[in-house]
Amino acid sequence: MGRIPTITFDRGTLLLHPPPRGKGWIDFATWDERVEKFRVRAIDYRPLIEALKAEGTEFIDEAKGFGPLELVPSFEMPPYQHQEEALTAWKQAGRWGVVVLPTAAGKTYLAQLAMQATPRTTLIVVPTLDLMHQWYAHLAAAFPDVEVGLLGGGSRDKSPILVATYDSAAIHAEALGNRYASIVFDECHHLPTDFNRAIAEYSIAPYRLGLTATPERSDGKHADLTQLIGPEVYRKTAEDLAGGALAEHEIVQIKVKLSKLERDRYDRLIKTRNEFLQQSHIALGSLQGWQHFVQASARSPAGRRAMLAHREAKEIALGTDGKMRILADLLAQHSPERILIFTADNATVYRISQDFLIPALTHQTPVKERHEILTRFKEGIYKTIIASHVLNEGVDVPDARVAILLSGTGSTREYIQRLGRILRKGTQKNKRAILYEVVAEDTAEEGTSQRRRGLAKTTPQTPKTGPETPGSKPQPLKLLPGSSSPNPAPTPIYGVGKASRKKAAERASEWGEKQRKSSEHSEQVSSQDYPENEFPKNTSESDEGSDNYPR
């Protein structure tokens, strides 16, 4: 009688030895000549177990270093309908997938509900130290009987529930890989980078939840989320939730004309830039076109002049005096309400802070000072604060009803995050939030505004030799691009779109010549019970007594 195959965890991978009978495991394994054993990617732990069980193969699992937890929450709130729907969709997808909800829609509480429904050791990964401490405070209050630890910012805890930054989790991915059964990826659009993706790839966690308001990435790597976390199982926009979980809101666009001096100067600068682009056969409107412009600007005096002209023209559009007059009027109109002001650059932040005596927040603001400013804003001592990018993500901003967007990038994500800062209902009844978007008319800002609101496609345009063509006429404002398109139906499977793997029969010399290609994987999660009930049945029933989790 042969030895029973054993699965062990080894520095972010799995070792399977001796080879099992059957063929189901072969698709996941590669031969490692160094140790003379078959090696499997850690992320394939769950489908490997499923394949072995499907063939009735007996094996010993020494890989997992996690186990059940008794998660008894100290407080519970009635979830919103969208939170219940998202949780159900995630469970139906085998507790493996991405949930897309707007800022302020209660993603943290949704994660708590998912943890209660899946009581296992859990790793929560967040992009910033601020978010790490916010999650820690929430989870420590929610589960006082379970140790909650931190990884990042000088902390290196080892606890059943661990909150880590992406940087720290990626650095320690090999050590963390088998310690947690569940992973929550907050702001999961940060995951598909060459550095961060190791967190998911080196982990055997069979349960994964991704949370984000905007999963789409400019480099297209958001498609990798399906392999790293799972398919998108649920999506709602701020428009969908307005009047319910989020406040009703209004978006008001105000167009400001440049003064005659500003207009003349702006047109001359744009003409200088466009003439160089024309001569160099460079079309802006895409990341590649911009990269070509940057490279070309460093090769000649004419390129340098074109880049300086581009930057000065942008500064004119962003900081026109007309915007300052509009800002003064809006501040007077909404006094004494709490108001958030956003700009695209620090120079404008400090200019407004000095001219209007408004507290400023930038990346240069010390942590203690930033905390003090936000605390005084929450208490009503400060009625207005102004920031560049530091309030976009990872900062718990006190409740406000009015936001003024004086300038910004073309990023839809940044736009949604800034709008989300005023959508929390807080203690205000019948709250109606207002976002003022102040745009310099007949400048590149109009195109930027359309891109961030999803009203214009970013396609390369052949530069003209004359002044920049004014933007198209305003269209009905949308909050998210493609909000009218149908949401993808939740798919109750594990490992959708997994890449093809090197087969055990391939020679090592061939491995470097093979490229992984995405393929659709349509088998449903097996409904049979697994050893120690580690994997539940694929069900949408309630958690009380129906799932296979030990209580």
Side-chain angles (χ1 to χ4, degrees):
M1 182 176 179
R3 290 181 297 165
I4 298 176
T6 301
I7 304 172
T8 56
F9 183 79
D10 180 48
R11 297 169 296 175
T13 64
L14 298 170
L15 292 177
L16 179 60
H17 186 75
R21 295 183 178 180
K23 299 180 180 179
W25 62 276
I26 295 178
D27 289 339
F28 306 104
T30 57
W31 179 252
D32 189 341
E33 296 177 351
R34 299 168 300 176
V35 295
E36 296 186 345
K37 294 178 181 178
F38 284 101
R39 197 176 290 275
V40 179
R41 298 190 312 165
I43 197 173
D44 291 329
Y45 169 78
R46 177 170 172 171
L48 173 65
I49 296 293
E50 292 171 350
L52 294 175
K53 291 298 299 181
E55 293 184 336
T57 301
E58 185 180 1
F59 63 93
I60 299 173
D61 185 358
E62 295 182 353
K64 64 180 182 181
F66 51 74
L69 287 179
E70 187 173 350
L71 295 180
V72 180
S74 63
F75 64 87
E76 289 185 281
M77 302 176 290
Y80 287 108
Q81 180 179 350
H82 71 273
Q83 292 172 324
E84 291 182 327
E85 293 173 351
L87 180 63
T88 299
W90 179 69
K91 290 163 59 180
Q92 288 178 333
R95 303 170 200 261
W96 176 271
V98 175
V99 173
V100 182
L101 291 174
T103 303
K107 292 190 287 291
T108 304
Y109 189 61
L110 171 62
Q112 178 186 329
L113 295 176
M115 292 173 64
Q116 292 171 207
T118 315
R120 292 290 188 277
T121 54
T122 303
L123 172 67
I124 298 96
V125 192
V126 300
T128 66
L129 290 174
D130 283 327
L131 266 178
M132 183 181 74
H133 291 293
Q134 289 172 30
W135 274 88
Y136 174 82
H138 178 91
L139 294 175
F143 304 117
D145 297 328
V146 179
E147 182 184 0
V148 180
L150 298 173
L151 178 61
S155 298
R156 299 180 67 173
D157 299 330
K158 296 180 180 179
S159 54
I161 298 177
L162 184 67
V163 186
T165 63
Y166 276 93
D167 286 346
S168 296
I171 291 171
H172 299 282
E174 292 183 0
L176 297 173
N178 70 330
R179 287 168 43 191
Y180 296 96
S182 296
I183 304 183
V184 177
F185 296 96
D186 191 22
E187 308 292 355
C188 64
H189 50 269
H190 290 278
L191 181 63
T193 67
D194 293 339
F195 183 65
N196 288 341
R197 65 187 300 123
I199 305 168
E201 292 177 336
Y202 291 4
S203 172
I204 68 174
Y207 313 116
R208 303 179 183 214
L209 172 62
L211 301 171
T212 182
T214 49
E216 293 76 17
R217 292 172 54 97
S218 59
D219 57 10
K221 289 186 177 181
H222 52 271
D224 294 347
L225 291 174
T226 299
Q227 302 174 30
L228 299 174
I229 305 176
E232 182 179 309
V233 297
Y234 189 80
R235 179 188 285 254
K236 288 291 184 182
T237 68
E239 287 179 329
D240 296 331
L241 304 181
L246 301 180
E248 293 281 1
H249 60 274
E250 179 182 3
I251 301 173
V252 179
Q253 188 181 78
I254 302 175
K255 290 195 174 182
V256 178
K257 293 183 181 295
L258 301 182
S259 68
K260 187 178 185 306
L261 288 176
E262 289 174 332
R263 170 56 61 189
D264 291 344
R265 180 61 177 165
Y266 182 87
D267 289 347
R268 288 197 301 271
L269 293 167
I270 290 298
K271 182 178 180 180
T272 299
R273 183 202 70 179
N274 285 354
E275 286 177 347
F276 174 77
L277 294 176
Q278 186 81 23
Q279 294 168 3
S280 303
H281 305 289
I282 297 174
L284 296 182
S286 68
L287 179 60
Q288 186 178 22
W290 171 251
Q291 289 173 340
H292 288 166
F293 181 29
V294 172
Q295 292 168 359
S297 68
R299 297 192 184 116
S300 67
R304 177 64 175 167
R305 285 194 297 270
M307 179 59 74
L308 291 175
H310 170 82
R311 291 179 176 176
E312 186 179 346
K314 183 178 180 181
E315 290 173 0
I316 291 174
L318 295 181
T320 173
D321 289 339
K323 288 188 177 183
M324 300 302 107
R325 292 191 293 270
I326 291 295
L327 176 61
D329 181 67
L330 292 175
L331 292 176
Q333 178 182 337
H334 288 284
S335 177
E337 294 188 73
R338 281 188 287 228
I339 302 172
L340 296 171
I341 305 171
F342 297 101
T343 76
D345 62 304
N346 289 349
T348 306
V349 169
Y350 294 131
R351 174 187 173 187
I352 293 173
S353 177
Q354 181 175 352
D355 292 349
F356 291 86
L357 300 180
I358 295 174
L361 293 175
T362 71
H363 71 282
Q364 298 171 331
T365 308
V367 174
K368 289 184 178 180
E369 182 180 345
R370 180 168 62 182
H371 176 74
E372 182 179 357
I373 290 174
L374 290 174
T375 299
R376 293 187 177 186
F377 183 70
K378 181 178 181 180
E379 294 172 349
I381 299 174
Y382 294 155
K383 299 298 184 182
T384 305
I385 55 177
I386 180 169
S388 51
H389 298 283
V390 294
L391 298 185
N392 289 346
E393 181 180 270
V395 179
D396 189 12
V397 180
D399 184 38
R401 191 182 74 87
V402 179
I404 302 173
L405 179 58
L406 288 181
S407 60
T409 67
S411 166
T412 302
R413 175 177 297 119
E414 178 186 78
Y415 181 64
I416 293 172
Q417 289 169 339
R418 289 180 169 183
L419 175 61
R421 295 309 179 191
I422 58 174
L423 292 184
R424 285 188 175 89
K425 299 181 75 171
T427 58
Q428 302 181 37
K429 293 183 178 180
N430 302 319
K431 175 181 176 180
R432 185 172 184 82
I434 302 177
L435 172 67
Y436 291 99
E437 185 188 25
V438 186
V439 178
E441 190 174 27
D442 293 345
T443 70
E445 266 208 310
E446 288 192 322
T448 300
S449 172
Q450 290 182 345
R451 287 198 302 275
R452 65 177 167 240
R453 291 186 283 114
L455 300 181
K457 295 181 180 179
T458 306
T459 54
Q461 300 292 330
T462 302
K464 295 178 172 54
T465 55
E468 189 163 71
T469 303
S472 59
K473 297 297 181 182
Q475 303 177 34
L477 292 176
K478 296 180 182 178
L479 193 59
L480 280 176
S483 59
S484 61
S485 62
N487 292 332
T491 309
I493 61 176
Y494 181 96
V496 175
K498 66 183 180 183
S500 60
R501 300 168 181 82
K502 297 184 285 289
K503 303 297 188 294
E506 291 177 350
R507 296 190 302 272
S509 60
E510 295 177 342
W511 295 351
E513 300 171 4
K514 299 284 185 179
Q515 290 187 352
R516 296 178 178 177
K517 298 179 181 179
S518 297
S519 62
E520 291 297 321
H521 178 71
S522 59
E523 295 87 24
Q524 291 190 355
V525 176
S526 174
S527 61
Q528 63 181 312
D529 291 331
Y530 290 86
E532 300 180 15
N533 296 325
E534 193 53 60
F535 301 118
K537 293 181 179 180
N538 196 18
T539 177
S540 61
E541 299 173 3
S542 65
D543 291 311
E544 295 181 4
S546 63
D547 283 341
N548 294 320
Y549 296 100
R551 296 296 179 183

